[in-house]
Amino acid sequence: MTCEDTPVRLAWEIQCYEPYSRVWICKGYGRATTTADPADVAAAVLAGHLTVHPPRSGETFRALARPDTGQPVTVTCDQLPADGWTADAAVRQALPLYLREALAAG
């Protein structure tokens, strides 16, 4: 087993910015053990969430992936992959069912 194949535990979080109080509010949270890149997991989580819950006017979302070891990763809406992007198997496996289904439908 190589270092690239070693599973890493990570926590992911979907956040919405509240401009009046100037804080990021948690809208979803999960944990996974995966060999996928944390940035790919964060992008998939955000894309799936936005498919299920389209943003209203003025809402700003981001996704964070915090591996137990390593640096946390933040992905914003403008950093999402282009249309037609599909998450690889390791990323899909790290997501809860409702996000997997959203990515498949979206």
Side-chain angles (χ1 to χ4, degrees), residues 21-42:
S21 57
R22 298 184 189 137
V23 297
W24 289 93
I25 299 170
C26 179
K27 295 291 186 177
Y29 183 83
R31 286 184 106 7
T33 301
T34 182
T35 57
D37 182 44
D40 291 340
V41 173

Side-chain angles (χ1 to χ4, degrees), residues 13-59:
E13 185 176 353
I14 302 162
Q15 298 179 337
C16 180
Y17 185 69
E18 170 54 54
Y20 300 107
S21 57
R22 298 184 189 137
V23 297
W24 289 93
I25 299 170
C26 179
K27 295 291 186 177
Y29 183 83
R31 286 184 106 7
T33 301
T34 182
T35 57
D37 182 44
D40 291 340
V41 173
V45 163
L46 184 58
H49 179 79
L50 294 176
T51 300
V52 174
H53 307 285
R56 293 177 293 204
S57 177
E59 286 186 327

